[in-house]
Structures are given as C-alpha cells and as structure tokens.
Amino acid sequence: AVVSTQSTGIQTVDGQVQSLRFTQLKLKESIDKLTVDLDQITSLQRELPNLEHYVKKLTSIKRRVATVNNVLTNVQDRVSGLQGRVEREQAKKRTLLNATVS
C-alpha cells in the first residue's frame, strides 16, 4: 500500500514537472521572439528610447529560464529513475508474495 501510494505520488510529481517544463519552454520561446522583435525595433528606429537595457534584461531572464529548465530536466530524470526503482521493488515483492503463496 505504501509503495502504491509512493508510485502514485511519483507519477503526480512527474506529470507536474513535465507540465512545468513545457511551460518553461513556451516562456523561453516567447522571450526569444520578444528579444528578436526588440532588436529589430532598435536597429530600425534609432530615435526610439534606448531599448538595449530591456534587451539585456530579457537576455538575462532567458538565461535564468534555461537554467530552471535544466534543473527541471534533472528533476524529471531523477523522478523517472525513482519511479523505475519503485516499479522494480513492486515486481520483486509480487514475485516473493506469489512464491510464498504457491
């Protein structure tokens, strides 16, 4: 029962990590697009207020998003490994239980 609960919990965390990774990827894509747009605006219209500062901020945020995405990837890999170990442990227990019953 405890292993079943752990497995369910691990699956829930795995799903949430996948969802968060997807969201992070979409955020990174949006930041990339916005950065390109701001670069184009800056190069086309020098009379606009200086946007370089904002481009640098976006670039910094993009790096942080990439870092978070890497961390999430590592977490998901660890959760997947843990889920595999839980499943192997469950299989061992079932085998032992079946051997004991037989």
Side-chain angles (χ1 to χ4, degrees):
V2 172
V3 175
S4 170
T5 303
Q6 288 174 340
S7 181
T8 303
I10 291 171
Q11 290 172 348
T12 300
V13 169
D14 188 44
Q16 291 171 341
V17 169
Q18 286 178 352
S19 175
L20 190 54
R21 284 184 62 202
F22 178 77
T23 303
Q24 290 286 319
L25 181 61
K26 290 297 180 187
L27 178 59
K28 181 186 176 299
E29 290 170 359
S30 295
I31 291 171
D32 287 344
K33 184 180 178 329
L34 185 56
T35 301
V36 168
D37 291 346
L38 286 174
D39 282 340
Q40 288 175 348
I41 290 171
T42 301
S43 67
L44 293 175
Q45 297 182 354
R46 294 295 175 188
E47 296 173 9
L48 288 176
N50 188 1
L51 299 176
E52 192 173 324
H53 173 72
Y54 299 104
V55 172
K56 287 180 182 180
K57 278 186 174 183
L58 282 171
T59 302
S60 174
I61 291 169
K62 178 181 164 184
R63 272 189 247 117
R64 286 185 270 169
V65 167
T67 300
V68 169
N69 198 33
N70 287 337
V71 169
L72 288 172
T73 299
N74 290 335
V75 167
Q76 187 173 22
D77 291 344
R78 290 178 183 176
V79 167
S80 295
L82 181 59
Q83 185 174 10
R85 286 192 297 271
V86 166
E87 289 171 358
R88 284 191 298 275
E89 191 64 32
Q90 285 176 331
K92 283 181 189 177
K93 288 182 180 187
R94 275 192 298 270
T95 302
L96 288 174
L97 186 62
N98 289 339
T100 306
V101 172
S102 301

